[in-house]
Amino acid sequence: MPNEILTETIGAVGVCRLNRPDKLNAINIPLMEQLVAALEAFDKNPEIRCMLVAGSERAFAAGADIAEMASAGMVEMYIRNQFATWDRIGLVQKPIVAAASGYVLGGGCELMMNCDIIVAAEGTQFGLPEINLGVIPGAGGTQRLTRALGKARAMDLILTGRSIDAAEALAAGLVSRVVPRESYFDAALQVCKDLCTKAPLALRFAKEAVMKNYALTLEEGIQHERKLFYMLFGTQDQKEGMGAFVEKRKANFAGK
């Protein structure tokens, strides 16, 4: 199996880099399995105090790997339950920092929202364009984006599929900090190094306390979202939307 991510340690920081440059780091099942396994290994390593997730300057992750699921049916998607792997990120106790640059779209945006602190490069584009493929976000996007931005902004982005830049994302509360593009990774790494100077147990408890605010009702919302996502694989528009994407043509949705 190819290395869909690259890992290294920098001091007490465990670094995970998405490694599909030819696909703009499009997220597929092997990538998520390797990423989650790496985060869990860092979480168990007493020498590591926080984790950094990054892509490339061109793309943190431009979305999900559409070719991987374009032809799948509703039952196949339900049985595959590929997003169950994502749920394990929520069990990671140490802080996770995201270094976001370039395109952060679809599954890439959903992955970013699973991180605790988000450092974004100027000009980075964020969005959940799944509506243009005949589906909806399926890895928690409808729930986490609404909690981050509020109903009005979340509806705008999810229903239109439009993207926002880093400045708007910061103003809306989607990202934590915006820094010059040429220094975005170093800035995110510095955040990690700062976290490494804090009391490890306090960091874990602080993270747990904040997340508890969402976890009480978030799970129900995600499970409902997931069922709706799988149901859409029984529609013609899903086949048309994803087929058009793979074939590099404009989709013609029929509302069926």
Side-chain angles (χ1 to χ4, degrees), residues 124-181:
T124 301
Q125 296 293 308
F126 304 90
L128 294 173
E130 285 87 346
I131 200 74
N132 297 319
L133 303 178
V135 295
I136 62 174
T142 63
Q143 304 304 298
R144 290 191 174 92
L145 192 70
T146 303
R147 283 166 169 78
L149 306 187
K151 176 189 172 184
R153 284 193 175 107
M155 283 290 194
D156 181 8
L157 296 184
I158 292 170
L159 298 187
T160 68
R162 77 177 182 93
S163 299
I164 60 176
D165 64 14
E168 186 174 352
L170 179 64
L174 182 59
V175 302
S176 309
R177 312 180 189 188
V178 175
V179 299
R181 184 165 184 170

Side-chain angles (χ1 to χ4, degrees), residues 37-118:
L39 290 174
E40 290 174 336
F42 283 138
D43 202 33
K44 294 176 182 177
N45 185 341
E47 302 299 318
I48 299 299
R49 294 196 174 186
C50 74
M51 284 78 87
L52 175 59
V53 178
S56 66
E57 182 176 329
R58 186 182 179 195
F60 176 78
D65 191 333
I66 302 304
E68 186 180 60
M69 54 182 157
S71 62
M74 178 177 64
V75 174
E76 179 182 350
M77 287 298 292
Y78 185 81
I79 293 174
R80 182 189 297 177
N81 194 18
Q82 66 193 56
F83 298 126
T85 303
W86 294 62
D87 295 338
R88 289 157 52 193
I89 299 177
L91 301 177
V92 172
Q93 296 179 307
K94 297 172 184 175
I96 304 173
V97 176
S101 181
Y103 297 106
V104 188
L105 304 174
C109 189
E110 291 176 298
L111 173 59
M112 180 199 74
M113 287 191 288
N114 271 275
C115 299
D116 303 310
I117 298 177
I118 300 160

Side-chain angles (χ1 to χ4, degrees), residues 6 10-11 14-15 22 33 73 80 90 124 135 137 183 214-215 250 256:
L6 301 175
I10 302 177
V15 180
D22 57 325
E33 289 176 344
R80 182 189 297 177
T124 301
V135 295
S183 61
Y214 298 101
K250 184 177 180 179
K256 299 180 180 179

